[in-house]
Amino acid sequence: MERNISSWLVPLLLAVGCVALVGNIFHTRSVNKSLVVDIEQATADLQVASDSGKDCTKKLLEKTAEVTAKDQQVATLTANVATLTEQVTQLTAQLATTEKPEEAPKEEKPAEAA
């Protein structure tokens, strides 16, 4: 009888092992499919992030160019303001020196009349 049990035991263990391997194959396939879906999703997300980064870089370069142009314009206008302020100061000084001789005789006339 022992011989009978051992003759059935080995094929039974082999059959259980084969069933386990087949189950493992199907489980591995389902896990692989889900991993493929995850990889595709990650690739799509990476592509979106890359496109977004490129758009942001492009916009940043455009804004940098605008700011640079405006900085140059501000520098030019600041130089113009400084020049015009200097001219106003000079003209005010000239006007003050021009008005002083006219004021001096006016003050002397009332002094002579007295």
Side-chain angles (χ1 to χ4, degrees):
M1 186 112 188
E2 265 185 50
R3 188 129 172 100
N4 236 355
I5 293 175
S6 65
S7 66
W8 286 90
L9 186 62
V10 172
L12 181 65
L13 289 176
L14 287 175
V16 169
C18 287
V19 169
L21 288 175
V22 168
N24 188 20
I25 288 171
F26 284 119
H27 175 70
T28 304
R29 283 185 184 174
S30 66
V31 169
N32 282 344
K33 286 180 184 178
S34 68
L35 288 175
V36 166
V37 169
D38 289 345
I39 289 173
E40 288 173 353
Q41 181 65 35
T43 304
D45 291 346
L46 179 64
Q47 185 65 36
V48 168
S50 175
D51 292 344
S52 176
K54 287 178 185 177
D55 290 343
C56 287
T57 302
K58 183 180 177 182
K59 288 179 183 178
L60 178 65
L61 291 175
E62 290 173 0
K63 293 296 181 183
T64 302
E66 288 178 17
V67 168
T68 302
K70 289 189 182 207
D71 283 346
Q72 291 174 348
Q73 186 179 12
V74 166
T76 302
L77 292 174
T78 303
N80 288 346
V81 166
T83 303
L84 292 174
T85 304
E86 172 124 0
Q87 288 178 357
V88 166
T89 305
Q90 290 175 355
L91 290 174
T92 304
Q94 284 179 353
L95 184 61
T97 57
T98 306
E99 287 180 354
K100 283 184 182 178
E102 292 176 2
E103 290 177 4
K106 289 181 184 176
E107 291 178 8
E108 290 178 11
K109 288 183 182 177
E112 291 175 7

